[in-house]
Amino acid sequence: MDTPHDLLRPDRPRREWPIAAGLLLLALVPSIAGAFRIGEIASGATETAANARFMQMPLPVLLHITGALVYSTVGAFQFLPRLRRRRNGWHRSAGRYLLVPAGLVVAGTGLWMTAFYDTPAIDDRAVAFSRYVIGAAMLACILLGVAAVRRRDHFAHGSWMMRAYALAMGAGTQVLTSGPPLLLFGEPSELARLLQMDAGWIINALVAELIIARRRAASRRPATMAA
């Protein structure tokens, strides 16, 4: 059984690397879909009802997809304690020059596309509201994370950045919450679409809060035992 000191030890690669692998796997399907969309735009594919908004205004979706690829891939390695401790310079540089800009681009373009793209009717009302909430929450988490690291509150910094990453990875979880019902029952109703989309974000947010709570408890336990 792990002791509190075991939980805080930096030399646990066997337990850490599956985390990165799982996060990359979660991002795989959205990444493939994004790459397909980029190829469609680059090749000048025939405009259809499904892709018209992307073909007519490609810049926002291209920025969104590129930012998401960077954010999901690089971000998967930012939460590995061993790598973070041994490569702290890389952790700070990747966060400052890649993850924060990419995260802001993802959230900002997501909000822009929700506001200005001519989306399908099923996404126009309740789902659009959820996207506004998630985009704004992601932006707030990133900015709070930046403010925390500037005042050297590293636990708060990691917590806010984990929350932002969890929200951004909602697209991966939504493949799992939307895909099986689509195969079993066909196209969803507006309510079902809302529940499937929100479930992806809520699941990720709850997992992030669970991890944050466990880290907080683990960081306090040695001091409590010593007292």
Side-chain angles (χ1 to χ4, degrees):
M1 181 179 293
D2 292 332
T3 67
H5 293 287
D6 288 330
L7 292 171
L8 297 175
R9 283 172 56 191
D11 54 339
R12 299 182 67 80
R14 290 184 180 179
R15 182 167 293 185
E16 292 175 8
W17 287 103
I19 296 173
L23 292 173
L24 292 174
L25 185 62
L26 190 64
L28 180 61
V29 173
S31 297
I32 293 173
F36 173 81
R37 184 70 68 193
I38 290 175
E40 189 178 44
I41 293 171
S43 64
T46 302
E47 189 173 307
T48 66
N51 68 13
R53 59 191 184 279
F54 306 122
M55 302 301 292
Q56 293 169 7
M57 287 186 287
L59 183 59
V61 72
L62 290 175
L63 289 173
H64 187 79
I65 293 169
T66 304
L69 288 172
V70 172
Y71 195 70
S72 61
T73 303
V74 179
F77 298 95
Q78 290 292 82
F79 302 107
L80 305 183
R82 187 170 185 261
L83 181 64
R84 189 168 62 246
R85 290 185 177 99
R86 293 192 173 188
R87 298 289 185 270
N88 190 47
W90 179 89
H91 175 82
R92 287 182 295 180
S93 296
R96 180 178 301 171
Y97 300 115
L98 291 176
L99 285 176
V100 169
L104 294 175
V105 166
V106 170
T109 54
L111 289 169
W112 193 98
M113 289 188 293
T114 302
F116 297 109
Y117 269 174
D118 185 15
T119 55
I122 198 171
D123 287 349
D124 273 348
R125 291 176 291 188
V127 172
F129 178 78
S130 291
R131 284 176 169 153
Y132 283 127
V133 171
I134 296 302
M138 184 179 168
L139 279 175
C141 288
I142 293 173
L143 295 176
L144 288 168
V146 170
V149 79
R150 286 184 173 176
R151 64 176 185 268
R152 299 185 181 279
D153 187 345
H154 297 291
F155 182 85
H157 166 72
S159 298
W160 286 117
M161 289 307 188
M162 184 176 293
R163 291 177 178 118
Y165 189 80
L167 294 177
M169 295 293 284
T173 309
Q174 284 159 355
V175 174
L176 304 177
T177 59
S178 301
L182 179 64
L183 293 175
L184 291 172
F185 307 113
E187 292 295 329
S189 65
E190 185 173 347
L191 176 60
R193 170 74 168 168
L194 174 65
L195 295 175
Q196 292 164 10
M197 296 292 286
D198 283 358
W201 288 311
I202 292 170
I203 290 169
N204 284 13
L206 290 176
V207 170
E209 292 304 324
L210 176 62
I211 295 171
I212 291 167
R214 291 183 63 182
R215 288 183 172 182
R216 181 181 292 112
S219 68
R220 292 173 176 173
R221 205 170 298 151
T224 304
M225 290 176 66

